[in-house]
Amino acid sequence: MKPIRLVRGFLTVGAWTLLSRIAGFVRDVLIAAYLGTGPVAEAFLVAFTLPNMFRRFFAEGAFNTAFVPLFSKKLEAGEDPKGFAEDAFAGLAFVVLIVSLVAMVAMPWLVLAMAGGFAGDERLPLAVEYGRICFPYIFFISLTALLSGLLNAGGRFIAAAGAPVLLNIIFIVAMVMADRLGWDMGLTMAWATPVTGLAQLALVWVAAARMGFALKFRRPRMTPDLKRLLTIAGPAVMAGGVVQINLLVGRQVGSFFEGGIAWLSYADRLYQLPLGVVGIAIGIVLLPDLSRRLKAEDTFGSRYALSRATEFALFLTVPAGVALMVIPLPLISVLYERGAFDAADSAPTALALAVYGLGLPAFVLQKVLQPLYFAREDTATPFRFALWSMVVNAVLAIGLAPFLGFIAAAWGTTLAGWAMTVQLWWGTRKMGEAARADERLRRRLPRTVLASAVMGLFLWLAETALADQLSAHGHRYWALTVLILAGMAVFGLAAYAFGAFRIADFRSGLSRQR
């Protein structure tokens, strides 16, 4: 077996994801500046969420959860991986095409299912129009997700990780052109959406062809391997549905409070930066690696991979979560407050960001723990856990909304995330040594938490000292930069002093594979 280099894979995917998230943040800053939190902004955010919701449901969430382990094992054993991939490609294309056609007809009901608060006001017809333009995006991006899984299983991460950069660049160019040429901003962003999907599909198809997997469209056929794929994907589809219900609950709660959807969306985009860079990168690299190690019965390698993935994830996301909780207002006000997004929007958005920050480590740990189940072709157990997390989310978000307002949706999301993580961790006890944390992880985790606490105290004191500069338009950018860089330096020094990491470990992770 030629193993995937975990740390190098994490860094490759993480670097490209970071670039994508930075470009995505620029995109969101422009949306906030051009549209603020008004009806056009909320209508587009809901319309754009619809195809992305179905994409996660069919491609990234359910289909790839089953496809990547099976394809990885066929690739390892040389059991016609191309034929299997082409059957999956054709089957996914057929299903998503049917779903797209039905969704275009049912768009008014889909919008109301996402945001019932839109009923009877101008946001509903706007969201329906934008939604019908946006929805073909799901066809292109679902096939992109499958090809990305194929590339990741082969240890080729660059094209798949870099594809989302195209989406954000196209959006940025479209908004700037709309502003310069006087085009309708909402319609311009809606029409740009399917264009981004086509561009991403073209990029990963070329990369797959260079890998020897130039997949073609053909009539779907039900083979034994595809039946096995669907059997495994079934519970994952249902689990994906549970995740989307959680998102729907949050959107519904937010839609009944003016500006709520926009505040939650802008906060979500900012906390998705560390989540995407770390959590998604680890999930992408770890799943095919564990699948191939399981095929080779490499228990020691599986334990090492899991422990290093957990260590890497928490070393980066625990301090990030602390920073989001300690300095949310400077982050939101400096990064978003311009144009149509004013100070009245900063405070509620910052509150949502702080709540999401509390859940950041939980969401990342899910990306580490779920591959333990998926690599064993077990999608039913995570589905059961997801059902319980859905109950937690619904009870908290809906039950607390009359008392806490829109922020109840964020609390529901965060606490449900921790409920899911605890269940996933508890369930690994039956998996033996391959799912156990090694001594190095058990020793270093509390030291990482302690270093993060030191950094949090420093950020709290430094924010107070820099309060005037952070609120002054002429100085706030450099003041926030100094605050963030100083916080990173304090965490790094504290982590090194406490023994949470060693430079030699980082070098060995790049140069060799255990």
Side-chain angles (χ1 to χ4, degrees):
M1 179 177 69
K2 183 181 179 181
I4 295 171
R5 295 183 183 274
L6 285 175
V7 174
R8 183 173 294 176
F10 297 157
L11 293 176
T12 298
V13 177
W16 278 99
T17 305
L18 175 61
L19 180 60
S20 172
R21 294 307 168 107
I22 291 173
F25 177 72
V26 173
R27 177 198 73 189
D28 292 335
V29 167
L30 289 177
I31 293 175
Y34 289 136
L35 300 177
T37 59
V40 174
E42 293 201 311
F44 173 74
L45 290 170
V46 167
F48 185 61
T49 298
L50 281 167
N52 277 287
M53 180 183 72
F54 280 91
R55 177 200 76 194
R56 298 185 187 104
F57 182 73
F58 285 105
E60 292 176 359
F63 204 84
N64 263 12
T65 293
F67 172 77
V68 170
L70 290 176
F71 179 79
S72 297
K73 292 170 185 176
K74 286 185 173 294
L75 188 65
E76 177 68 22
E79 299 173 349
D80 189 22
K82 184 175 181 181
F84 172 66
E86 206 150 55
D87 286 333
F89 190 75
L92 181 62
F94 176 76
V95 171
V96 173
L97 181 61
I98 297 300
V99 169
S100 298
L101 294 174
V102 172
M104 302 259 302
V105 174
M107 190 57 64
W109 295 276
L110 288 176
V111 170
L112 288 175
M114 177 71 73
F118 284 12
D121 68 37
E122 61 181 313
R123 295 175 295 178
L124 179 59
L126 283 173
V128 170
E129 181 182 11
Y130 297 161
R132 284 176 171 151
I133 297 170
C134 289
F135 211 85
Y137 170 78
I138 186 183
F139 179 81
F140 302 119
I141 204 62
S142 294
L143 298 180
T144 298
L146 185 142
L147 289 172
S148 296
L150 181 153
L151 290 167
N152 295 332
R156 303 193 180 193
F157 302 109
I158 294 178
V165 177
L166 278 177
L167 176 145
N168 294 311
I169 290 174
I170 292 172
F171 267 123
I172 291 168
V173 171
M175 281 188 282
V176 172
M177 289 180 63
D179 182 58
R180 297 285 177 85
L181 301 176
W183 298 343
D184 182 284
M185 188 63 69
L187 284 174
T188 298
M189 294 163 66
W191 281 109
T193 302
V195 174
T196 66
L198 181 59
Q200 292 178 85
L201 177 58
L203 177 63
V204 296
W205 189 91
V206 170
R210 290 178 177 174
M211 181 179 160
F213 290 85
L215 306 187
K216 300 177 181 178
F217 289 106
R218 66 187 187 191
R219 188 179 67 180
R221 56 180 186 148
M222 186 58 67
T223 65
D225 284 335
L226 199 56
K227 289 180 181 178
R228 175 64 177 158
L229 174 65
L230 294 175
T231 299
I232 298 171
V237 169
M238 291 185 287
V242 170
V243 172
Q244 301 314 314
I245 288 173
N246 284 339
L247 294 175
L248 284 174
V249 169
R251 295 280 178 178
Q252 284 285 10
V253 169
S255 72
F256 286 95
F257 299 90
E258 186 176 352
I261 285 181
W263 296 331
L264 292 168
S265 295
Y266 292 136
D268 177 82
R269 292 300 303 173
L270 193 53
Y271 105 94
Q272 285 285 342
L273 181 61
L275 175 60
V277 172
V278 181
I280 293 176
I282 286 175
I284 285 173
V285 177
L286 190 59
L287 177 55
D289 186 67
L290 288 178
S291 299
R292 296 170 72 180
R293 290 186 183 280
L294 187 64
K295 180 75 173 179
E297 299 181 354
D298 181 7
T299 299
F300 173 79
S302 297
R303 184 183 187 188
Y304 180 85
L306 173 67
S307 296
R308 297 295 72 74
T310 306
E311 182 182 337
F312 183 83
L314 294 179
F315 183 79
L316 295 178
T317 55
V318 171
V322 170
L324 294 182
M325 289 186 286
V326 174
I327 56 168
L329 187 57
L331 288 169
I332 293 297
S333 61
V334 174
L335 297 175
Y336 279 120
E337 201 174 294
R338 63 184 52 79
F341 191 99
D342 56 26
D345 296 312
S346 291
T349 307
L351 178 60
L353 181 61
V355 175
Y356 285 142
L358 179 63
L360 180 59
F363 296 124
V364 171
L365 281 174
Q366 289 177 32
K367 302 295 184 181
V368 176
L369 294 171
Q370 285 175 335
L372 288 170
Y373 297 86
F374 299 152
R376 290 166 171 77
E377 300 177 14
D378 178 8
T379 52
T381 302
F383 168 60
R384 293 197 301 271
F385 296 159
L387 283 176
W388 283 110
S389 71
M390 178 187 72
V391 172
V392 172
N393 179 66
V395 169
L396 291 173
I398 298 173
L400 294 177
F403 308 100
L404 301 181
F406 84 99
I407 199 62
W411 277 113
T413 298
T414 290
L415 295 178
W418 277 110
M420 181 70 176
T421 300
V422 170
Q423 292 175 94
L424 287 168
W425 170 77
W426 189 258
T428 62
R429 295 178 306 119
K430 301 176 182 178
M431 296 181 183
E433 285 299 311
R436 299 282 187 271
D438 63 14
E439 178 59 29
R440 174 173 144 183
L441 175 60
R442 290 195 294 267
R443 184 175 67 252
R444 293 189 176 183
L445 178 56
R447 301 178 185 188
T448 297
V449 174
L450 181 58
S452 300
V454 171
M455 182 207 69
L457 177 61
F458 168 80
L459 287 176
W460 179 68
L461 295 172
E463 180 192 4
T464 303
L466 294 173
D468 292 339
Q469 287 79 10
L470 287 167
S471 61
H473 285 277
H475 303 285
R476 58 180 184 165
Y477 298 105
W478 72 260
L480 181 63
T481 302
V482 168
L483 185 63
I484 292 173
L485 292 178
M488 293 171 62
V490 168
F491 171 75
L493 291 172
Y496 189 78
F498 297 151
F501 83 96
R502 290 287 180 264
I503 296 175
D505 298 327
F506 178 77
R507 289 174 177 168
S508 66
L510 289 177
S511 61
R512 61 188 174 91
Q513 175 70 33
R514 294 289 182 96

